[in-house]
Structure formats: C-alpha cells, structure tokens
Amino acid sequence: MREVLIVQNAASGGPRRVGDWLAEDGLGLEVVRAFEGAEVPARLGERALLVLGGGYLPSDDVRAPWLPAIRELVGQAIDGGRPYLGICLGGQMLAEVAGGLVKADAGEPENGSVPITLRPEAAADPLFHGLPEVVTAIEHHKDAVVELAEEAVWLAQTEACPYQAFRVGATAWGVQFHPEVGPGRIMEWDDRGFDLAALHRQALLDEPAAVPVWREVSRRFAGVARMS
C-alpha cells in the first residue's frame, strides 16, 4: 500500500475529510502532529506528502521550530518528483521552497465559503481538469502567496488573493483554500469582527456543489500517489 505522510501544524488543522478520502482511495496515512513536538521524518522516501495549514508563515521558525524540517521534505518532494499537496500554509510553503514569495497580511483577508475561478491552465492539469469554472471552498487567511516561481503553473484565483492553486513540476500542488473542511469548521473560529453565523449559512448553501469537486480532486491525487 502506498503511504502519504501528513504533517499537521495546528491542533485544529487535521486532515479531516481529505484524510478520510485518501484512505478510502487506498492510501495508508501517517499523521505527524508536529505542533505537539512529534518528530518530522528526515526523509520522505517513497511516500506522498500532505502538509496542512497553521497560523504561521512558511519560515516562521521561531514560533514553529519544526518548519525547517517540513521545508526539507517539501524540497525532497519537488526534487524527487514525489506527489505533494500543500493546503494553506502547506501551499504557501511549496511556493516559497520553489522560489516564490509569501507575505504576511497580503491583500484582503478571505473568510468563509469563497468562489474560486479556475484559469485556462487548469484544463491540462491532472487534478483540476474538467472541474466547474467556478467552485467554492472554505478560506480563512490573511497571509498569501504574492509571487510564484517562474516554472510554477497557475491554476486558480480569486480577486482578493490571486494565487489560489498552482502546480510545481508534474506532481506538486499548493492551494490557499481548505478542501479538507466543511461549514462546521467556521463555527470553531474565534470571532474577529465578522459574522460567523452568516458565513456558516452561506457555506451550507455552497456545500452540496463543493463536496463532489474536492472529493474528485482528492481521488485524483490519490491516483497520482498510487502510480508514483
């Protein structure tokens, strides 16, 4: 059985339904709770890699001293052609390790269920081809990728945060949004001046169309991992 190494960077930032989907599609899951002090493996080996979100910048090593070990694994995934999926912080980390730029408090924060527009480049992408032109996903961020590496393929965007999804090489993807969470996650957030109940209601309306899309993307990633 092919395995995926999942690195968790926050107590609330588990793999959730994406982990369930990957397991359903035949991958073994090894979850490293790095935020609790669990050791991040030094070598990725033949595994796929999933790096989850957290309230840090990719190089915020003082507050999160395990991040250098994750960046090393991301570099191994890029260099070795290992399947990689980075979500939120994990996506920003892929951008930075590949040579792009991530900034704190970049642009307008995005919170709740947000419409994401696929770019023409997505039509030829192994994960994003054939999806609806506009699909929603949960967002909760203020930091963002502001520049992609020259060789990266830009796949999806929003007006407030252009680099919503991208690919580096043939098998490494980064996304700013959270395909692993559903509307219930919104009600777990701290109230920072926005209406959680209203955001939750909108996410519930969007969920029936969003779930099949992210389920299919997860299935395709699992397929890439099994074949690698």
Side-chain angles (χ1 to χ4, degrees):
M1 176 184 289
R2 288 290 187 181
E3 291 193 350
V4 55
L5 177 65
I6 302 175
V7 184
Q8 184 173 340
N9 293 293
S12 60
R16 300 193 182 224
R17 64 188 183 191
V18 165
D20 294 338
W21 292 338
L22 294 176
E24 288 174 9
D25 290 329
L27 296 183
L29 309 184
E30 179 184 349
V31 181
V32 176
R33 294 167 65 88
F35 68 97
E36 289 183 336
E39 184 176 0
V40 177
R43 303 299 302 172
L44 183 58
E46 297 301 310
R47 293 171 290 195
L49 179 61
L50 170 61
V51 176
L52 298 166
Y56 311 102
L57 289 167
S59 297
D60 199 353
D61 299 350
V62 173
R63 292 199 302 146
W66 61 88
L67 293 180
I70 303 177
R71 293 197 301 272
E72 173 61 29
L73 290 180
V74 175
Q76 291 176 27
I78 295 171
D79 294 341
R82 302 306 306 156
Y84 175 82
L85 178 60
I87 292 174
C88 197
L89 169 60
Q92 295 170 3
M93 188 171 288
L94 175 63
E96 187 171 286
V97 171
L101 182 63
V102 178
K103 284 189 176 181
D105 300 314
E108 297 179 20
E110 291 180 305
N111 296 287
S113 181
V114 175
I116 298 162
T117 301
L118 297 190
R119 292 172 53 82
E121 294 89 336
D125 183 76
L127 297 195
F128 286 83
H129 70 273
L131 302 182
E133 181 180 358
V134 178
V135 64
T136 61
I138 303 296
E139 305 252 13
H140 189 47
H141 73 100
K142 57 182 180 178
D143 307 331
V145 177
V146 297
E147 182 179 323
L148 291 177
E150 184 175 349
E151 69 273 19
V153 180
W154 185 11
L155 300 172
Q157 63 189 42
T158 64
E159 184 174 342
C161 178
Y163 300 116
Q164 287 288 334
F166 59 95
R167 189 183 74 249
V168 174
T171 59
W173 288 269
V175 299
Q176 181 59 66
F177 50 87
H178 287 274
E180 82 281 15
V181 303
R185 178 73 178 99
I186 293 172
M187 300 308 295
E188 299 171 7
W189 295 345
D190 295 332
D191 184 352
R192 299 180 181 179
F194 40 79
D195 188 337
L196 294 181
L199 294 177
H200 183 248
R201 286 193 297 271
Q202 184 60 54
L204 287 172
L205 293 174
D206 293 340
E207 182 77 344
V211 169
V213 173
W214 304 125
R215 178 66 182 95
E216 179 61 23
V217 169
S218 177
R219 181 179 292 112
R220 292 172 179 178
F221 180 75
V224 172
R226 289 196 309 269
M227 294 173 61
S228 64

